[in-house]
Amino acid sequence: MGANAILKGRMDELGLTQDELAHRMNAAIESLGGRPGDVSSRTVRNLLNGSTRRPIGRTCAALEAVFGCPVSALGFDPPRATAPAEDPVHRRTFLGAVTGTTATAVAASAGRTRWGQADICRLHREYTDLLRGDRLGGARQVENQAIELEARIQRVLTGHGASDRVRRRMYRLASHARCLAAFAAIDRSAPRRARAHLDTALTLAGLARDGETTYQVWDHLMLTSSQRENHAEAMAGAEVMKRSSVARRDPLYASLGHMRHANALAMLHRPVESLRALDLAEKAFGRARDEEPPMWITFYGPAEFAALSSYVWTALGEHERAESCLHRTLAALPGDMARDRALYTAHLSLSQARQGEPESACVTARRAYVMLSSAVGSQRTMNALNRTRQVVEATGTKAPAVADWIEESRRWT
Protein backbone atom coordinates (compact mmCIF):
# COMPACT_ATOMS: atom_id res chain seq x y z
CA MET A 1 0.00 0.00 0.00
CA GLY A 2 1.54 3.28 -1.11
CA ALA A 3 0.61 6.93 -1.50
CA ASN A 4 -1.63 7.90 -4.42
CA ALA A 5 0.72 10.09 -6.45
CA ILE A 6 -1.78 10.42 -9.29
CA LEU A 7 -4.43 12.01 -7.09
CA LYS A 8 -1.81 14.26 -5.48
CA GLY A 9 -0.69 15.40 -8.92
CA ARG A 10 -4.24 16.20 -10.03
CA MET A 11 -4.84 18.17 -6.83
CA ASP A 12 -1.65 20.14 -7.42
CA GLU A 13 -2.76 20.92 -10.99
CA LEU A 14 -5.99 22.45 -9.64
CA GLY A 15 -4.29 24.06 -6.64
CA LEU A 16 -6.47 22.15 -4.17
CA THR A 17 -5.63 21.58 -0.53
CA GLN A 18 -7.08 18.59 1.33
CA ASP A 19 -9.76 20.77 2.94
CA GLU A 20 -10.64 22.37 -0.41
CA LEU A 21 -10.99 19.00 -2.12
CA ALA A 22 -13.25 17.78 0.71
CA HIS A 23 -15.35 20.93 0.29
CA ARG A 24 -15.70 20.44 -3.48
CA MET A 25 -16.55 16.78 -3.07
CA ASN A 26 -19.30 17.62 -0.58
CA ALA A 27 -20.67 20.24 -2.97
CA ALA A 28 -20.67 17.66 -5.78
CA ILE A 29 -22.51 15.13 -3.61
CA GLU A 30 -25.13 17.75 -2.72
CA SER A 31 -25.48 18.83 -6.36
CA LEU A 32 -26.00 15.25 -7.49
CA GLY A 33 -28.12 14.02 -4.62
CA GLY A 34 -29.75 17.01 -2.97
CA ARG A 35 -28.19 16.32 0.45
CA PRO A 36 -24.91 17.60 1.92
CA GLY A 37 -21.92 15.27 1.71
CA ASP A 38 -19.90 14.05 4.67
CA VAL A 39 -16.40 14.01 3.16
CA SER A 40 -13.81 15.27 5.66
CA SER A 41 -10.13 16.16 5.39
CA ARG A 42 -9.45 12.78 7.01
CA THR A 43 -11.29 11.10 4.12
CA VAL A 44 -9.03 12.93 1.68
CA ARG A 45 -5.91 11.97 3.65
CA ASN A 46 -6.92 8.32 3.42
CA LEU A 47 -7.39 8.72 -0.32
CA LEU A 48 -3.94 10.29 -0.63
CA ASN A 49 -1.93 8.00 1.65
CA GLY A 50 -3.29 4.82 0.06
CA SER A 51 -5.43 3.68 2.97
CA THR A 52 -8.44 3.82 0.65
CA ARG A 53 -7.84 2.06 -2.65
CA ARG A 54 -11.45 1.39 -3.67
CA PRO A 55 -13.66 4.35 -2.59
CA ILE A 56 -17.33 3.79 -1.83
CA GLY A 57 -19.99 4.82 -4.36
CA ARG A 58 -20.71 8.40 -3.28
CA THR A 59 -16.99 9.12 -2.84
CA CYS A 60 -16.36 7.80 -6.37
CA ALA A 61 -19.17 9.99 -7.71
CA ALA A 62 -17.77 13.08 -5.99
CA LEU A 63 -14.21 12.45 -7.21
CA GLU A 64 -15.42 11.94 -10.78
CA ALA A 65 -17.51 15.12 -10.62
CA VAL A 66 -14.63 17.24 -9.26
CA PHE A 67 -11.89 15.94 -11.59
CA GLY A 68 -14.04 15.09 -14.61
CA CYS A 69 -12.63 11.59 -15.13
CA PRO A 70 -13.22 8.02 -13.90
CA VAL A 71 -11.74 7.10 -10.51
CA SER A 72 -9.50 4.58 -12.28
CA ALA A 73 -7.74 7.56 -13.91
CA LEU A 74 -7.09 8.97 -10.43
CA GLY A 75 -5.15 5.91 -9.24
CA PHE A 76 -8.01 4.03 -7.59
CA ASP A 77 -9.51 0.62 -8.13
CA PRO A 78 -12.91 1.06 -9.79
CA PRO A 79 -16.00 0.16 -7.74
CA ARG A 80 -17.11 -3.44 -7.92
CA ALA A 81 -19.79 -3.99 -10.54
CA THR A 82 -23.27 -4.72 -9.22
CA ALA A 83 -24.86 -5.36 -12.61
CA PRO A 84 -24.91 -8.84 -14.27
CA ALA A 85 -21.75 -9.87 -16.10
CA GLU A 86 -21.43 -8.48 -19.62
CA ASP A 87 -19.53 -9.73 -22.59
CA PRO A 88 -16.65 -7.52 -23.83
CA VAL A 89 -18.52 -6.30 -26.92
CA HIS A 90 -21.48 -5.19 -24.83
CA ARG A 91 -19.24 -3.45 -22.34
CA ARG A 92 -17.39 -1.52 -25.07
CA THR A 93 -20.77 -0.48 -26.48
CA PHE A 94 -21.85 0.80 -23.08
CA LEU A 95 -18.66 2.73 -22.35
CA GLY A 96 -18.65 4.38 -25.76
CA ALA A 97 -22.30 5.32 -25.62
CA VAL A 98 -22.25 7.28 -22.37
CA THR A 99 -20.38 10.10 -24.09
CA GLY A 100 -23.17 10.96 -26.47
CA THR A 101 -25.25 8.18 -28.03
CA THR A 102 -28.72 7.20 -26.93
CA ALA A 103 -28.77 6.01 -23.34
CA THR A 104 -31.70 3.68 -23.94
CA ALA A 105 -29.77 1.76 -26.58
CA VAL A 106 -26.84 1.59 -24.17
CA ALA A 107 -28.89 -0.09 -21.47
CA ALA A 108 -30.42 -2.54 -23.89
CA SER A 109 -27.09 -3.52 -25.43
CA ALA A 110 -25.43 -4.01 -22.06
CA GLY A 111 -28.29 -5.95 -20.52
CA ARG A 112 -28.81 -3.24 -17.90
CA THR A 113 -32.10 -3.33 -16.01
CA ARG A 114 -31.48 -0.70 -13.29
CA TRP A 115 -29.66 2.61 -13.17
CA GLY A 116 -27.67 4.05 -10.29
CA GLN A 117 -25.33 6.73 -9.02
CA ALA A 118 -22.56 6.07 -11.56
CA ASP A 119 -25.01 6.68 -14.41
CA ILE A 120 -26.12 9.96 -12.88
CA CYS A 121 -22.48 11.04 -12.63
CA ARG A 122 -21.86 10.36 -16.31
CA LEU A 123 -24.95 12.28 -17.36
CA HIS A 124 -24.08 15.08 -14.94
CA ARG A 125 -20.64 15.44 -16.55
CA GLU A 126 -22.35 15.92 -19.91
CA TYR A 127 -24.49 18.65 -18.37
CA THR A 128 -21.52 20.44 -16.78
CA ASP A 129 -19.62 20.32 -20.07
CA LEU A 130 -22.59 21.97 -21.79
CA LEU A 131 -22.84 24.55 -19.03
CA ARG A 132 -19.18 25.48 -19.46
CA GLY A 133 -19.63 25.65 -23.23
CA ASP A 134 -22.53 28.08 -22.79
CA ARG A 135 -20.17 30.73 -21.39
CA LEU A 136 -19.60 32.01 -24.93
CA GLY A 137 -23.32 32.54 -25.32
CA GLY A 138 -25.93 32.57 -28.02
CA ALA A 139 -25.16 29.14 -29.48
CA ARG A 140 -28.18 27.29 -30.84
CA GLN A 141 -25.99 24.19 -30.62
CA VAL A 142 -25.98 24.41 -26.80
CA GLU A 143 -29.75 24.70 -26.76
CA ASN A 144 -30.17 21.66 -29.00
CA GLN A 145 -27.65 19.57 -27.09
CA ALA A 146 -29.33 20.39 -23.79
CA ILE A 147 -32.72 19.32 -25.20
CA GLU A 148 -31.15 16.10 -26.47
CA LEU A 149 -29.61 15.37 -23.06
CA GLU A 150 -32.95 15.90 -21.32
CA ALA A 151 -34.66 13.61 -23.84
CA ARG A 152 -32.12 10.85 -23.22
CA ILE A 153 -32.65 11.10 -19.48
CA GLN A 154 -36.40 10.84 -20.04
CA ARG A 155 -35.94 7.71 -22.16
CA VAL A 156 -33.83 6.15 -19.43
CA LEU A 157 -36.53 6.89 -16.86
CA THR A 158 -39.24 5.49 -19.10
CA GLY A 159 -37.53 2.29 -20.15
CA HIS A 160 -35.44 1.14 -17.19
CA GLY A 161 -35.72 0.55 -13.47
CA ALA A 162 -34.21 2.78 -10.79
CA SER A 163 -34.77 3.44 -7.11
CA ASP A 164 -36.98 6.37 -6.15
CA ARG A 165 -33.90 8.28 -5.02
CA VAL A 166 -32.12 7.77 -8.34
CA ARG A 167 -35.25 8.67 -10.31
CA ARG A 168 -35.58 11.94 -8.41
CA ARG A 169 -31.95 12.81 -9.12
CA MET A 170 -32.43 12.07 -12.79
CA TYR A 171 -35.55 14.23 -12.95
CA ARG A 172 -33.57 16.97 -11.25
CA LEU A 173 -30.78 16.70 -13.82
CA ALA A 174 -33.30 16.64 -16.67
CA SER A 175 -34.85 19.86 -15.35
CA HIS A 176 -31.41 21.50 -15.14
CA ALA A 177 -30.71 20.51 -18.75
CA ARG A 178 -34.00 21.97 -19.95
CA CYS A 179 -33.30 25.18 -18.01
CA LEU A 180 -29.96 25.42 -19.81
CA ALA A 181 -31.80 25.13 -23.12
CA ALA A 182 -34.16 27.87 -21.95
CA PHE A 183 -31.30 30.20 -21.01
CA ALA A 184 -29.66 29.67 -24.40
CA ALA A 185 -32.99 30.73 -25.97
CA ILE A 186 -33.18 33.75 -23.66
CA ASP A 187 -29.69 34.78 -24.75
CA ARG A 188 -30.88 34.59 -28.34
CA SER A 189 -33.85 36.85 -27.42
CA ALA A 190 -36.34 34.04 -28.07
CA PRO A 191 -38.53 34.21 -24.94
CA ARG A 192 -41.41 32.17 -26.37
CA ARG A 193 -39.13 29.26 -27.13
CA ALA A 194 -37.55 29.64 -23.70
CA ARG A 195 -40.99 29.59 -22.09
CA ALA A 196 -41.81 26.27 -23.77
CA HIS A 197 -38.58 24.78 -22.40
CA LEU A 198 -39.41 26.05 -18.92
CA ASP A 199 -42.90 24.55 -18.92
CA THR A 200 -41.19 21.17 -19.34
CA ALA A 201 -38.52 22.01 -16.77
CA LEU A 202 -41.13 22.95 -14.17
CA THR A 203 -42.85 19.57 -14.58
CA LEU A 204 -39.52 17.77 -14.21
CA ALA A 205 -38.65 19.79 -11.11
CA GLY A 206 -41.98 18.79 -9.60
CA LEU A 207 -41.25 15.13 -10.28
CA ALA A 208 -37.84 15.59 -8.64
CA ARG A 209 -39.57 17.08 -5.58
CA ASP A 210 -36.62 19.44 -5.24
CA GLY A 211 -36.99 23.04 -4.07
CA GLU A 212 -33.69 24.35 -5.47
CA THR A 213 -34.49 23.00 -8.92
CA THR A 214 -37.96 24.57 -8.84
CA TYR A 215 -36.35 27.86 -7.79
CA GLN A 216 -34.07 27.75 -10.84
CA VAL A 217 -37.07 27.33 -13.13
CA TRP A 218 -38.83 30.30 -11.56
CA ASP A 219 -35.70 32.41 -11.93
CA HIS A 220 -35.62 31.68 -15.66
CA LEU A 221 -39.38 32.22 -15.97
CA MET A 222 -38.90 35.66 -14.45
CA LEU A 223 -36.26 36.41 -17.10
CA THR A 224 -38.58 35.40 -19.94
CA SER A 225 -41.31 37.64 -18.50
CA SER A 226 -38.89 40.56 -18.36
CA GLN A 227 -37.73 39.93 -21.91
CA ARG A 228 -41.37 40.02 -23.07
CA GLU A 229 -41.73 43.28 -21.05
CA ASN A 230 -44.43 41.71 -18.89
CA HIS A 231 -42.99 43.28 -15.75
CA ALA A 232 -46.04 42.56 -13.59
CA GLU A 233 -45.60 38.85 -14.29
CA ALA A 234 -41.87 39.18 -13.63
CA MET A 235 -42.62 40.78 -10.27
CA ALA A 236 -44.98 37.92 -9.38
CA GLY A 237 -42.29 35.39 -10.31
CA ALA A 238 -39.74 37.18 -8.15
CA GLU A 239 -42.21 37.06 -5.26
CA VAL A 240 -42.37 33.28 -5.62
CA MET A 241 -38.56 33.10 -5.59
CA LYS A 242 -37.99 35.20 -2.49
CA ARG A 243 -40.73 33.45 -0.52
CA SER A 244 -39.59 29.93 -1.42
CA SER A 245 -38.33 27.50 1.22
CA VAL A 246 -34.84 27.48 -0.28
CA ALA A 247 -34.68 31.29 -0.06
CA ARG A 248 -35.69 31.09 3.60
CA ARG A 249 -32.85 28.61 4.17
CA ASP A 250 -30.08 30.12 2.07
CA PRO A 251 -29.21 33.84 1.96
CA LEU A 252 -27.77 33.53 -1.56
CA TYR A 253 -31.13 32.40 -2.94
CA ALA A 254 -32.89 35.05 -0.86
CA SER A 255 -30.58 37.71 -2.31
CA LEU A 256 -31.24 36.67 -5.92
CA GLY A 257 -34.99 36.69 -5.29
CA HIS A 258 -34.84 40.21 -3.83
CA MET A 259 -32.63 41.36 -6.71
CA ARG A 260 -35.07 40.05 -9.34
CA HIS A 261 -37.88 41.74 -7.39
CA ALA A 262 -35.96 45.03 -7.32
CA ASN A 263 -35.51 44.94 -11.10
CA ALA A 264 -39.18 44.22 -11.76
CA LEU A 265 -40.31 46.99 -9.39
CA ALA A 266 -37.93 49.46 -11.03
CA MET A 267 -39.36 48.63 -14.47
CA LEU A 268 -42.85 49.25 -13.03
CA HIS A 269 -41.72 52.73 -11.85
CA ARG A 270 -41.97 51.95 -8.15
CA PRO A 271 -38.64 53.41 -6.99
CA VAL A 272 -39.14 53.33 -3.21
CA GLU A 273 -40.09 49.65 -3.18
CA SER A 274 -37.37 48.85 -5.70
CA LEU A 275 -34.62 50.41 -3.60
CA ARG A 276 -35.94 48.64 -0.51
CA ALA A 277 -35.71 45.32 -2.36
CA LEU A 278 -32.19 46.20 -3.58
CA ASP A 279 -31.15 46.89 0.01
CA LEU A 280 -32.57 43.51 1.12
CA ALA A 281 -30.69 41.83 -1.73
CA GLU A 282 -27.43 43.42 -0.63
CA LYS A 283 -27.90 42.45 3.02
CA ALA A 284 -28.76 38.86 2.15
CA PHE A 285 -25.81 38.67 -0.26
CA GLY A 286 -23.52 39.73 2.57
CA ARG A 287 -24.83 36.87 4.71
CA ALA A 288 -24.30 34.22 2.02
CA ARG A 289 -22.24 31.28 3.25
CA ASP A 290 -18.65 31.11 2.09
CA GLU A 291 -19.02 27.79 0.33
CA GLU A 292 -19.42 26.56 -3.22
CA PRO A 293 -23.11 26.72 -4.27
CA PRO A 294 -24.85 24.41 -6.76
CA MET A 295 -23.33 24.87 -10.20
CA TRP A 296 -26.28 26.61 -11.86
CA ILE A 297 -26.25 29.56 -9.42
CA THR A 298 -22.47 30.08 -9.35
CA PHE A 299 -23.04 32.93 -11.82
CA TYR A 300 -24.47 35.02 -8.95
CA GLY A 301 -21.21 36.28 -7.48
CA PRO A 302 -19.96 39.83 -6.82
CA ALA A 303 -19.67 40.62 -10.54
CA GLU A 304 -23.25 39.57 -11.31
CA PHE A 305 -24.59 41.29 -8.18
CA ALA A 306 -23.11 44.59 -9.38
CA ALA A 307 -24.42 44.00 -12.93
CA LEU A 308 -27.96 43.32 -11.79
CA SER A 309 -27.76 46.36 -9.50
CA SER A 310 -26.83 48.43 -12.57
CA TYR A 311 -30.09 47.33 -14.24
CA VAL A 312 -32.04 48.65 -11.27
CA TRP A 313 -30.27 52.02 -11.39
CA THR A 314 -30.74 52.20 -15.16
CA ALA A 315 -34.48 51.60 -14.87
CA LEU A 316 -34.62 54.34 -12.22
CA GLY A 317 -32.76 56.78 -14.50
CA GLU A 318 -29.60 56.85 -12.36
CA HIS A 319 -27.17 56.24 -15.21
CA GLU A 320 -24.05 57.43 -13.40
CA ARG A 321 -24.67 54.89 -10.64
CA ALA A 322 -25.37 52.25 -13.25
CA GLU A 323 -22.02 52.97 -14.92
CA SER A 324 -20.22 52.67 -11.58
CA CYS A 325 -21.79 49.24 -11.00
CA LEU A 326 -20.80 48.07 -14.47
CA HIS A 327 -17.18 49.09 -13.94
CA ARG A 328 -17.19 46.97 -10.76
CA THR A 329 -18.71 44.10 -12.71
CA LEU A 330 -16.08 44.15 -15.44
CA ALA A 331 -13.28 44.36 -12.87
CA ALA A 332 -14.59 41.31 -10.98
CA LEU A 333 -15.70 39.17 -13.94
CA PRO A 334 -13.68 35.94 -14.48
CA GLY A 335 -11.65 35.96 -17.67
CA ASP A 336 -13.43 33.01 -19.29
CA MET A 337 -16.90 34.63 -19.16
CA ALA A 338 -16.77 35.89 -22.76
CA ARG A 339 -20.51 36.36 -23.21
CA ASP A 340 -20.97 38.27 -19.96
CA ARG A 341 -17.96 40.51 -20.60
CA ALA A 342 -19.34 41.49 -24.00
CA LEU A 343 -22.86 41.97 -22.62
CA TYR A 344 -21.87 44.20 -19.71
CA THR A 345 -19.43 46.19 -21.84
CA ALA A 346 -22.35 46.87 -24.21
CA HIS A 347 -24.48 48.02 -21.26
CA LEU A 348 -21.60 50.24 -20.13
CA SER A 349 -21.62 51.93 -23.53
CA LEU A 350 -25.37 52.43 -23.23
CA SER A 351 -25.05 54.05 -19.79
CA GLN A 352 -22.37 56.39 -21.14
CA ALA A 353 -24.58 57.35 -24.08
CA ARG A 354 -27.47 58.11 -21.74
CA GLN A 355 -25.22 60.44 -19.74
CA GLY A 356 -24.51 62.49 -22.89
CA GLU A 357 -21.05 61.05 -23.55
CA PRO A 358 -21.35 59.85 -27.16
CA GLU A 359 -17.62 59.67 -27.85
CA SER A 360 -16.95 57.43 -24.84
CA ALA A 361 -20.03 55.38 -25.67
CA CYS A 362 -18.79 54.71 -29.21
CA VAL A 363 -15.35 53.60 -28.04
CA THR A 364 -16.87 51.25 -25.46
CA ALA A 365 -19.44 49.89 -27.90
CA ARG A 366 -16.75 49.09 -30.46
CA ARG A 367 -14.84 47.18 -27.77
CA ALA A 368 -18.00 45.22 -26.90
CA TYR A 369 -18.57 44.31 -30.53
CA VAL A 370 -15.01 42.99 -30.88
CA MET A 371 -15.65 40.78 -27.83
CA LEU A 372 -18.95 39.65 -29.30
CA SER A 373 -17.37 38.80 -32.65
CA SER A 374 -14.66 36.68 -31.04
CA ALA A 375 -17.30 34.63 -29.21
CA VAL A 376 -20.29 32.70 -30.55
CA GLY A 377 -22.52 35.70 -30.10
CA SER A 378 -25.44 36.89 -28.00
CA GLN A 379 -28.53 38.60 -29.34
CA ARG A 380 -29.00 40.32 -25.96
CA THR A 381 -25.60 41.98 -26.43
CA MET A 382 -26.46 43.06 -29.96
CA ASN A 383 -29.77 44.51 -28.72
CA ALA A 384 -27.86 46.63 -26.16
CA LEU A 385 -25.51 47.90 -28.88
CA ASN A 386 -28.46 48.80 -31.10
CA ARG A 387 -29.99 50.80 -28.25
CA THR A 388 -26.66 52.58 -27.79
CA ARG A 389 -26.71 53.64 -31.44
CA GLN A 390 -30.28 54.94 -31.10
CA VAL A 391 -29.34 57.05 -28.05
CA VAL A 392 -26.17 58.38 -29.73
CA GLU A 393 -28.09 59.27 -32.90
CA ALA A 394 -30.68 61.13 -30.83
CA THR A 395 -27.98 63.48 -29.46
CA GLY A 396 -27.55 64.91 -32.96
CA THR A 397 -23.78 65.20 -32.52
CA LYS A 398 -21.77 65.87 -35.69
CA ALA A 399 -18.40 64.73 -34.35
CA PRO A 400 -16.63 62.79 -37.16
CA ALA A 401 -15.64 59.88 -34.89
CA VAL A 402 -19.24 59.49 -33.71
CA ALA A 403 -20.66 59.71 -37.24
CA ASP A 404 -18.18 57.07 -38.43
CA TRP A 405 -19.15 54.76 -35.56
CA ILE A 406 -22.87 55.15 -36.32
CA GLU A 407 -22.31 54.10 -39.92
CA GLU A 408 -20.04 51.25 -38.85
CA SER A 409 -22.49 49.95 -36.25
CA ARG A 410 -25.35 49.81 -38.77
CA ARG A 411 -23.44 47.07 -40.55
CA TRP A 412 -23.25 44.95 -37.40
CA THR A 413 -26.84 43.77 -37.47
Side-chain angles (χ1 to χ4, degrees):
M1 180 175 66
N4 190 329
I6 298 175
L7 178 63
K8 180 64 167 62
R10 293 298 302 273
M11 288 175 63
D12 290 344
E13 287 175 12
L14 297 177
L16 294 176
T17 65
Q18 293 182 21
D19 286 339
E20 288 168 343
L21 177 56
H23 175 74
R24 289 201 184 187
M25 289 172 68
N26 284 327
I29 290 170
E30 183 173 8
S31 176
L32 291 167
R35 295 183 181 180
D38 57 358
V39 177
S40 65
S41 57
R42 181 178 180 181
T43 306
V44 176
R45 280 198 302 275
N46 288 338
L47 295 171
L48 284 167
N49 64 27
S51 298
T52 301
R53 298 301 307 169
R54 192 188 300 272
I56 61 175
R58 64 177 177 272
T59 305
C60 284
L63 286 166
E64 291 183 344
V66 171
F67 292 103
C69 64
V71 290
S72 58
L74 296 171
F76 297 104
D77 298 330
R80 292 184 177 89
T82 57
E86 309 164 33
D87 66 57
V89 174
H90 283 164
R91 178 160 180 79
R92 285 195 299 272
T93 303
F94 174 75
L95 291 175
V98 296
T99 62
T101 54
T102 305
T104 303
V106 172
S109 66
R112 294 286 298 277
T113 58
R114 289 184 69 80
W115 288 73
Q117 181 65 41
D119 304 299
I120 297 174
C121 288
R122 293 185 188 99
L123 292 166
H124 189 269
R125 281 200 299 274
E126 288 191 53
Y127 165 72
T128 56
D129 287 345
L130 285 176
L131 197 59
R132 292 188 185 100
D134 188 50
R135 289 185 171 188
L136 291 177
R140 186 63 184 265
Q141 182 182 7
V142 171
E143 184 180 350
N144 291 338
Q145 289 176 334
I147 296 169
E148 192 271 338
L149 174 60
E150 180 266 325
R152 275 194 287 126
I153 296 170
Q154 288 273 45
R155 287 196 293 271
V156 168
L157 288 165
T158 301
H160 301 280
S163 67
D164 179 67
R165 187 177 182 185
V166 168
R167 293 182 71 85
R168 287 175 60 187
R169 292 177 185 177
M170 284 195 167
Y171 279 127
R172 179 183 184 184
L173 183 57
S175 182
H176 285 320
R178 202 68 180 215
C179 281
L180 178 56
F183 190 81
I186 290 169
D187 199 43
R188 292 173 63 88
S189 294
R192 288 188 179 181
R193 196 165 71 237
R195 190 64 173 262
H197 294 322
L198 293 170
D199 287 344
T200 301
L202 191 59
T203 299
L204 293 167
L207 292 170
R209 306 196 298 278
D210 184 80
E212 290 184 11
T213 305
T214 304
Y215 181 102
Q216 180 189 17
V217 179
W218 276 106
D219 177 64
H220 287 25
L221 282 168
M222 185 269 176
L223 294 178
T224 62
S225 299
S226 296
Q227 204 166 59
R228 292 164 48 234
E229 298 191 2
N230 188 342
H231 303 301
E233 184 178 82
M235 182 183 69
E239 287 277 5
V240 173
M241 291 170 62
K242 68 190 186 72
R243 297 180 188 278
S244 65
S245 59
V246 66
R248 290 195 296 271
R249 278 196 321 269
D250 192 323
L252 186 66
Y253 287 82
S255 176
L256 182 57
H258 286 303
M259 180 63 79
R260 300 297 194 200
H261 197 213
N263 270 281
L265 288 166
M267 296 302 296
L268 290 169
H269 309 293
R270 294 161 64 171
V272 175
E273 294 168 272
S274 176
L275 292 177
R276 186 182 302 125
L278 182 60
D279 181 61
L280 290 171
E282 184 173 9
K283 289 177 179 176
F285 191 80
R287 295 196 305 272
R289 296 189 289 271
D290 187 20
E291 59 186 42
E292 190 171 349
M295 191 167 185
W296 83 265
I297 201 174
T298 54
F299 78 95
Y300 189 54
E304 186 72 11
F305 182 90
L308 296 181
S309 299
S310 78
Y311 292 169
V312 175
W313 292 117
T314 295
L316 296 177
E318 298 280 353
H319 302 301
E320 187 174 348
R321 289 193 177 190
E323 180 180 1
S324 176
C325 289
L326 288 164
H327 281 299
R328 292 202 302 273
T329 293
L330 293 170
L333 203 61
D336 61 343
M337 303 292 283
R339 172 188 54 210
D340 288 356
R341 187 166 296 280
L343 175 65
Y344 297 135
T345 302
H347 278 283
L348 177 61
S349 72
L350 183 57
S351 70
Q352 291 169 339
R354 285 170 168 163
Q355 292 177 74
E357 302 173 4
E359 291 86 356
S360 297
C362 293
V363 172
T364 305
R366 185 177 284 111
R367 191 165 70 245
Y369 182 70
V370 170
M371 295 175 189
L372 184 66
S373 299
S374 64
V376 174
S378 165
Q379 187 58 45
R380 289 186 303 161
T381 303
M382 187 56 70
N383 291 346
L385 292 174
N386 289 337
R387 288 197 297 273
T388 298
R389 184 177 66 247
Q390 292 167 4
V391 174
V392 169
E393 285 180 319
T395 65
T397 181
K398 303 299 183 183
V402 174
D404 290 345
W405 176 82
I406 290 173
E407 290 304 314
E408 175 190 344
S409 65
R410 285 181 178 147
R411 297 192 295 271
W412 294 351
T413 54

